[in-house]
Amino acid sequence: MTGETLIMAIRKFRKQMKPIIWLVTILMVLGGGYATLSSIIGSMSNGHSNYAFKLNGNKISKFEVEKTKVTMIDGYSRYLGDKVDRGLIDILAFDEVVNKNLTLEMADKLKVKVSSGDVNAQYDKIESSIGNKDQFKRMLQVQGYTKNTFKKELKDNLTVEKTLAKIQEGINPTDEEINKYYEDNLYIRFSGKPLAEVKSEVITDLKQTKGIEEYILLLNKARKEMKLENISEEYKAYVERNEMEEDGFAISNVEMAKRTLNNLFITNGDREKARELSKEYYKAQIKLAKIAIERGITVDETLPLDYKFEEYKKGLFENIKNSLNPTDAQLKEYFEKNKLVYDTFPSADSYIAILKVDPSAEDKAAAKTRAEELLKTLTPKNFAEVAKKNSDGPSSPNGGDLGWFSKKDMVEPFQKAVFAGEVGKIYPEPVETIFGQHLIYIEDRKDDEERAKASHILIVPKISEATLNTKKAEIETVKEKLANGTVNFETLSKENKDVLQSTLFSKIDDAGYIPGLGYNESLTKLIFAAPINSVQTALIEDKFYIFKKINEVKYKAADFNELKNRVKEDYLNSKTQEELKKLI
């Protein structure tokens, strides 16, 4: 187990990264991925072939494929644990690398450019979020990066992001498309609002949806035309090939791997059951596609298979839906059975800014004093028990045990103390890091390997009443600026470094749930009690909130006559789904 101080920092690091980034995490070290990458790096230096395959004449490194594997294993392991099927991951990681590099080629054709300034800005943002340059450098090293290779990763990901954005920019929905999308999503997406009020949202949705569709078409075309050659022996089994054929439809190993991997969540890691579910799914999709074809429904044959199945299903859905003609009696019966769905429950829309409160110098001094007093009572024998009762760190339940870790795994002050102190003894003074004060018991050490085994007690500075009172005065100043319009919630985070988040939250319910934030009953009670457009403040669990409610909806019982069109739409959708199930 590595040191929790590094893990805490890396968790913070990962939160700052955009979801699109293929990020290798610290867990690759824990799970053996680091050894795999290290062996590949070693083979490169020993003159062995360092690329996995050639794609359109460009060499793709083994390191990139293995790094992608490790990232995927990490992602799925969070939910499946040791039941992740690495054979499936191998297929998907190989495919992911192909797609990524084809997208980068697509970017060149579209003349998408990412400047060094863009990359440096992203790099600096991530580095500053960690707050310690040396710590950031060590984290990159642990994850297999140098500064340059990490910047290359950032550039690639920004390029992919800009490529998708450029494709979307070229999408101009027609009036017919706008009207159809609006009608199809009138109640589900737009809550029955008139088109004029939501037209910009409709266009944005269509640009995104059709942009993704266009990207998929371009990527599928690129895959059909690509030249994949000189594949290293250990990767040949991962190349896309047909795995299942039925009634003129061919399912590839990649499509089967995606479906099976997701089905592992359902089967609790049983691969055979997951694979059977995948086969049953594709047989059902093929059956629906054949019925759709028989009814004259056609789709774009250049689409990937899963997208073709979805288009057949959509066409068949519309075909069945248009054949239904419910009576008023049927609609009223449906309405009564689902009346709670149509009742309007209390909700609110509110701007919310969350501001952090950092401990003052006095708070840090108090933590140090507490650590010094605790240190006087410590011995190697009672260390674990004292840690369980007093440590603020996540290793507290384990008596502060950090296990074995390497020198570079820890923040600098911590690792210096561990490798300078006497083995078998408690370090003679508290050690301060960005996390707080540490009392360290150095249990064992291998200096030649730069590895150590230690336990620690973490004392995190507590925010004092005096610090909170000082912060309250600052909050009042911000509140006044928001109230008089000097600043606004949208730009507040750029103007105030203590603002963790500031945005509009919609559909806040009176049960305490804030979409995008989670449950916070104390805050929601204050929001519902506040007047409309009044800037308010609140201190809840050492966090300051500034909020402004801009809209509130009161409870209203549903009336069938007012909602007849919506009820009919829901009835038709429900009955169509039932008919689809019967067909399968």
Side-chain angles (χ1 to χ4, degrees):
M1 176 179 177
T2 61
E4 66 186 21
T5 49
L6 179 64
I7 293 175
M8 286 166 69
I10 285 183
R11 283 174 182 160
K12 181 180 178 183
F13 174 50
R14 288 162 72 187
K15 286 179 183 178
Q16 301 297 322
M17 300 294 284
K18 292 189 176 181
I20 198 170
I21 292 176
W22 292 270
L23 179 65
V24 183
T25 70
I26 185 64
L27 293 178
M28 80 179 189
V29 181
L30 309 183
Y34 181 72
T36 304
L37 296 176
S38 296
S39 67
I40 290 172
I41 294 170
S43 71
M44 292 178 189
S45 60
N46 291 329
H48 296 156
S49 173
N50 62 358
Y51 67 92
F53 56 89
K54 278 186 178 180
L55 180 64
N56 296 334
N58 297 314
K59 293 180 179 179
I60 309 301
S61 72
K62 291 180 179 179
F63 185 84
E64 183 175 353
V65 178
E66 295 303 321
K67 179 162 60 67
T68 305
K69 280 187 195 179
V70 168
T71 305
M72 285 189 166
I73 289 169
D74 169 36
Y76 280 97
S77 293
R78 292 180 210 170
Y79 305 99
L80 290 170
D82 60 1
K83 294 177 180 176
V84 171
D85 191 307
R86 296 193 176 216
L88 299 176
I89 293 286
D90 289 343
I91 294 169
L92 296 183
F94 186 91
D95 192 66
E96 177 71 12
V97 171
V98 170
N99 286 343
K100 178 184 173 182
N101 283 278
L102 287 175
T103 303
L104 293 175
E105 290 182 12
M106 192 188 301
D108 286 338
K109 292 177 182 177
L110 294 172
K111 295 182 169 51
V112 172
K113 301 293 181 185
V114 173
S115 69
S116 57
D118 292 335
V119 175
N120 290 335
Q122 183 80 348
Y123 182 92
D124 292 343
K125 180 181 177 182
I126 297 167
E127 184 182 60
S128 64
S129 74
I130 303 303
N132 183 302
K133 289 188 176 183
D134 289 335
Q135 176 69 11
F136 180 57
K137 184 178 179 182
R138 278 192 292 275
M139 283 192 294
L140 291 182
Q141 289 172 344
V142 168
Q143 295 173 83
Y145 287 111
T146 64
K147 183 176 181 178
N148 287 337
T149 58
F150 186 64
K151 282 190 173 183
K152 170 67 167 56
E153 187 84 355
L154 289 177
K155 183 177 182 180
D156 286 350
N157 292 312
L158 287 170
T159 301
V160 170
E161 195 176 285
K162 285 194 171 187
T163 301
L164 294 174
K166 184 157 188 177
I167 291 171
Q168 288 174 0
E169 285 171 12
I171 301 295
N172 294 301
T174 64
D175 288 342
E176 184 181 350
E177 288 171 333
I178 290 170
N179 289 328
K180 186 175 189 315
Y181 183 82
Y182 169 72
E183 289 168 6
D184 289 346
N185 297 276
L186 177 58
Y187 300 109
I188 297 171
R189 171 76 174 84
F190 303 115
S191 305
K193 295 176 183 177
L195 177 57
E197 191 176 326
V198 296
K199 190 171 182 178
S200 61
E201 293 177 55
V202 173
I203 293 171
T204 298
D205 284 1
L206 281 169
K207 276 181 168 287
Q208 290 176 346
T209 304
K210 294 178 75 63
I212 291 170
E213 289 174 0
E214 179 64 19
Y215 165 73
I216 289 166
L217 285 170
L218 290 171
L219 181 61
N220 204 42
K221 182 174 183 290
R223 288 183 68 93
K224 288 178 178 177
E225 295 173 354
M226 71 181 178
K227 188 176 182 182
L228 194 63
E229 58 187 344
N230 292 11
I231 302 166
S232 186
E233 194 63 37
E234 64 263 44
Y235 297 114
K236 287 182 178 178
Y238 311 150
V239 177
E240 186 174 25
R241 56 181 171 75
N242 289 345
E243 186 167 324
M244 171 183 165
E245 293 188 29
E246 188 166 325
D247 291 334
F249 290 92
I251 316 299
S252 76
N253 58 334
V254 175
E255 288 154 341
M256 188 66 77
K258 287 177 186 174
R259 183 66 50 182
T260 304
L261 195 56
N262 288 330
N263 282 337
L264 287 175
F265 292 96
I266 301 170
T267 64
N268 196 27
D270 187 323
R271 180 175 177 177
E272 288 308 310
K273 286 183 180 178
R275 185 172 171 75
E276 281 307 309
L277 285 177
S278 299
K279 286 182 178 179
E280 289 172 15
Y281 168 83
Y282 278 116
K283 284 180 180 179
Q285 296 305 304
I286 290 168
K287 186 175 181 180
L288 284 179
K290 287 183 67 182
I291 294 170
I293 292 169
E294 289 169 3
R295 297 192 183 190
I297 295 162
T298 59
V299 302
D300 187 338
E301 289 299 322
T302 64
L303 283 168
L305 186 64
D306 278 330
Y307 280 85
K308 283 202 286 189
F309 283 146
E310 190 60 32
E311 288 299 305
Y312 278 126
K313 190 174 179 180
K314 281 165 62 178
L316 190 55
F317 188 94
E318 288 300 315
N319 179 274
I320 296 170
K321 185 177 177 179
N322 292 335
S323 70
L324 300 175
N325 188 25
T327 64
D328 277 3
Q330 288 173 315
L331 295 179
K332 283 179 181 176
E333 182 184 0
Y334 182 84
F335 171 77
E336 291 300 330
K337 285 181 179 178
N338 299 278
K339 194 170 183 302
L340 284 177
V341 173
Y342 300 106
D343 285 347
T344 301
F345 290 93
S347 69
D349 303 333
S350 177
Y351 283 103
I352 302 174
I354 308 170
L355 291 86
K356 66 178 179 177
V357 183
D358 290 324
S360 65
E362 290 77 12
D363 297 336
K364 291 179 181 179
K368 185 175 182 181
T369 299
R370 184 184 165 212
E372 288 170 341
E373 291 300 314
L374 203 57
L375 180 60
K376 294 174 184 177
T377 70
L378 284 175
T379 67
K381 286 186 178 180
N382 71 10
F383 194 94
E385 283 306 310
V386 176
K388 287 177 183 178
K389 294 176 182 176
N390 295 277
S391 180
D392 297 320
S395 65
S396 173
N398 300 323
D401 181 23
L402 298 174
W404 282 93
F405 52 86
S406 64
K407 195 172 185 178
K408 65 183 179 181
D409 288 342
M410 295 299 179
V411 289
E412 189 171 355
F414 192 96
Q415 57 99 343
K416 278 187 175 179
V418 169
F419 286 91
E422 193 173 343
V423 173
K425 293 189 177 181
I426 296 165
Y427 195 73
E429 62 184 20
V431 176
E432 184 178 8
T433 72
I434 58 174
F435 304 105
Q437 298 286 336
H438 303 261
L439 302 175
I440 307 170
Y441 170 33
I442 306 164
E443 299 174 55
D444 201 354
R445 194 169 64 221
K446 297 179 181 179
D447 290 328
D448 57 334
E449 298 178 15
E450 293 192 332
R451 297 177 70 240
K453 186 177 188 296
S455 295
H456 84 145
I457 295 170
L458 174 64
I459 305 299
V460 176
K462 299 293 187 290
I463 309 297
S464 65
E465 193 66 31
T467 301
L468 291 175
N469 287 333
T470 301
K471 193 69 179 178
K472 281 178 186 176
E474 295 177 22
I475 298 297
E476 285 301 315
T477 301
V478 177
K479 175 186 172 183
E480 288 175 16
K481 289 182 177 180
L482 286 166
N484 63 31
T486 308
V487 296
N488 58 59
F489 281 91
E490 289 90 343
T491 60
L492 189 59
S493 58
K494 295 178 182 177
E495 299 178 24
N496 190 315
K497 62 181 178 60
D498 292 334
V499 176
L500 298 172
Q501 191 173 8
S502 181
T503 191
L504 177 64
F505 293 89
S506 301
K507 306 292 183 184
I508 300 168
D509 68 42
D510 62 347
Y513 184 68
I514 304 175
L517 279 184
Y519 279 95
N520 190 326
E521 290 185 37
S522 300
L523 181 57
T524 53
K525 282 180 182 177
L526 293 171
I527 289 171
F528 276 94
I532 296 288
N533 291 325
S534 173
V535 180
Q536 306 278 313
T537 63
L539 172 61
I540 303 171
E541 296 179 355
D542 289 346
K543 279 195 181 81
F544 276 103
Y545 295 86
I546 306 177
F547 60 90
K548 183 175 78 169
K549 180 173 66 178
I550 61 169
N551 183 50
E552 183 175 351
V553 176
K554 305 290 185 181
Y555 173 79
K556 182 186 176 184
D559 181 277
F560 173 75
N561 292 321
E562 290 180 3
L563 297 169
K564 185 176 176 180
N565 288 339
R566 179 183 168 189
V567 173
K568 182 178 181 180
E569 184 68 16
D570 291 347
Y571 174 90
L572 290 172
N573 287 336
S574 176
K575 291 300 177 184
T576 302
Q577 286 289 3
E578 290 177 14
E579 291 302 314
L580 274 177
K581 287 179 182 178
K582 289 177 185 176
L583 290 176
I584 294 173

